[in-house]
Amino acid sequence: MLQDRYGNTVATTSSAALDKYNHACELIRLYRGDPIAVLDQALAEDPDFGMAWAARAGILVQQMDKLYAEEVEKCLRAGAASRTTERERAHLMAAKHWNEGRFHEAALSYARIAQEHPRDLVAVQAAHIGAFFLGRAPELRDWPVQALRAFSPGDDGYHAVLGMAAFGYEENGDYGAAEELGREAVWLEPRDAWAVHAVAHVNEMRGDVDNGIAWLRDSADRWAPENAFAYHNWWHLALLHLDAGNFQEVLALYDEKVRRPDSPAMLEWIDASALLWRLKLEGIDVGKRWNDVAASWERAAEDQYYAFNDLHAVMAFLGAGKRRDAERTLQCMRRIAQRNSDNALMTRAVGLPLAEAFVAFDAGNYSEAVDKIAATRGIGQRFGGSHAQRDVLSLTLFHAAIRGGQRQFAEAIAHERLTQKPSSPWASRLARQAKFASAA
Ligand SMILES: [Fe+2]
């Protein structure tokens, strides 16, 4: 039996197909190039390569976009008809759970594969990303940490496990461990955009603007080229410039790096919406930029797939002045909230009250916005994303409190921020703004 580059048994008997698959594995762990195209090359060599079909399905479900559902089904059918090992069949089942909206079952299934086969980096990574989308913060750290037992420094792919563990430590507030592991991963593999990202999050959470900007800017020529995840690291750099008050730099990064017009990648639309919303809160004129982001979201306005997406669609519609589209998404969220699924639960508990809060904020109903965000912010992790992404909730809450005349509340939020990020210029600005409002 043949083995992949990590030592996992694969059912294919084609060495040529396996070579292509191994190349795809490297691209997958680096978020680099086009692993789908390389998997297709593997499948051209051996159309019955079950694990290539499973990996293809896994990449597509991790886009968290209903658009790919049919393509995933096609992969799953082809995979089921192929030669497979038990491990490969488990991959197909995990991707099927994900594609059919059983997100928690999917993440747990990938984690179970990784626990049985800790050198299955494709499974470790899928479990890690699943934990991220679902706000399963402890497992975001623990699943890659579990896999580290099977890796030694110098092993192929070791950097990727370190990078995932680093991000997990960061999301659990252990910034020292996160920075140490993240820097080691980047030292081993400077192209590892996910490990770079873990350290970027540490800097973001500490409000360490100077080191944060330098970290991303000075390493970009290594992590950015041909990297499908680069837009998100650029987004982090834009956030740090926003913190520093370099608004022109933020807009330049948005235009040149974060937002590719006509990009089909919904994860990019999320970052675009999130950055423009922060600029809107800060009173920065973003011109017509909202229009094309809102146009992207139109095809997904009624997907009812993932509440985190829906909230960002609502932001874009509100930013572009398309209140009817925002209301349309809200109606869909109300319908899904009545059902019984992972997304229904996320929508009911978190997504819907937040979307209603953002609509209320846009309409000037600040008291309603404050109440709904305040009630939801503390359980916001239930609809996934990172602390840095969900910071948009705290920022919107602060501005709703300011605009609604709830000055003590605004001071409380600003004080909380400055305590957590004492060197953040943005935190200082908001604290001054709250104080000024209090004195008015
Ligand atoms: Fe991030």
Side-chain angles (χ1 to χ4, degrees), residues 167 197 201 232 235-236 386:
F167 184 54
H197 171 247
H201 267 267
H232 186 71
W235 179 79
H236 275 281
S386 64

Side-chain angles (χ1 to χ4, degrees), residues 120-415:
D120 183 343
L121 255 188
V122 173
V124 177
Q125 189 170 339
H128 182 66
I129 295 300
F132 169 74
F133 283 130
L134 297 167
R136 301 180 71 114
E139 289 142 322
L140 190 67
R141 172 196 59 206
D142 296 338
W143 287 337
V145 164
Q146 290 168 10
L148 277 171
R149 78 189 190 278
F151 284 84
S152 302
D155 281 2
D156 180 41
Y158 177 59
H159 68 88
V161 193
L162 285 181
M164 286 186 268
F167 184 54
Y169 276 111
E170 180 279 322
E171 285 296 298
N172 284 280
D174 192 340
Y175 302 135
E179 183 165 20
E180 189 180 329
L181 295 188
R183 284 182 180 274
E184 186 183 349
V186 176
W187 184 79
L188 289 168
E189 175 49 275
R191 299 176 303 167
D192 187 335
W194 190 255
V196 168
H197 171 247
V199 178
H201 267 267
V202 170
N203 293 322
E204 169 67 29
M205 296 309 289
R206 287 174 171 160
D208 191 347
V209 170
D210 292 342
N211 282 319
I213 289 174
W215 170 254
L216 287 169
R217 184 194 58 206
D218 297 346
S219 59
D221 62 341
R222 298 182 287 280
W223 56 256
E226 297 174 50
N227 199 297
F229 185 67
Y231 72 92
H232 186 71
N233 279 345
W234 291 120
W235 179 79
H236 275 281
L237 183 58
L239 278 192
L240 290 160
H241 279 297
L242 183 48
D243 197 323
N246 304 331
F247 301 124
Q248 288 310 313
E249 187 67 29
V250 177
L251 290 173
L253 279 167
Y254 178 90
D255 291 337
E256 293 164 21
K257 305 292 189 185
V258 176
R259 174 69 185 157
R260 290 182 305 168
D262 305 323
S263 168
M266 190 177 283
L267 295 165
E268 289 186 30
W269 311 347
I270 285 175
D271 284 355
S273 299
L275 189 54
L276 292 184
W277 188 268
R278 284 163 172 77
L279 289 165
K280 172 184 162 82
L281 294 175
E282 291 294 297
I284 308 297
D285 181 9
V286 300
K288 296 186 186 312
R289 289 177 179 84
W290 277 117
N291 294 345
D292 114 294
V293 185
S296 290
W297 278 112
E298 268 170 29
R299 78 147 167 86
E302 297 178 88
D303 273 2
Q304 306 183 28
Y305 188 69
Y306 178 40
F308 193 80
N309 293 348
D310 294 340
L311 178 64
H312 287 80
V314 166
M315 283 183 215
F317 293 141
L318 294 174
K322 295 174 180 288
R323 288 190 180 151
R324 280 171 57 184
D325 285 321
E327 192 56 41
R328 186 159 58 107
T329 301
L330 213 53
Q331 289 301 340
C332 282
M333 294 178 84
R334 290 189 179 116
R335 280 199 296 277
I336 196 83
Q338 305 296 319
R339 296 186 198 154
N340 183 22
S341 67
D342 289 347
N343 185 41
L345 198 63
M346 289 191 270
T347 302
R348 195 158 58 238
V350 181
L352 180 57
L354 288 176
E356 287 175 343
F358 278 52
V359 168
F361 180 88
D362 185 68
N365 299 327
Y366 299 119
S367 168
E368 181 186 346
V370 166
D371 288 350
K372 287 187 166 160
I373 300 175
T376 311
R377 188 174 65 126
I379 55 167
Q381 74 276 11
R382 288 189 195 170
F383 83 156
S386 64
H387 293 299
Q389 286 177 307
R390 292 191 305 270
D391 187 37
V392 75
L393 310 181
S394 300
L395 292 166
T396 308
L397 177 59
F398 173 84
H399 285 283
I402 287 279
R403 294 180 198 188
Q406 297 191 38
R407 294 162 178 178
Q408 280 299 332
F409 200 113
E411 272 207 64
I413 302 297
H415 184 73

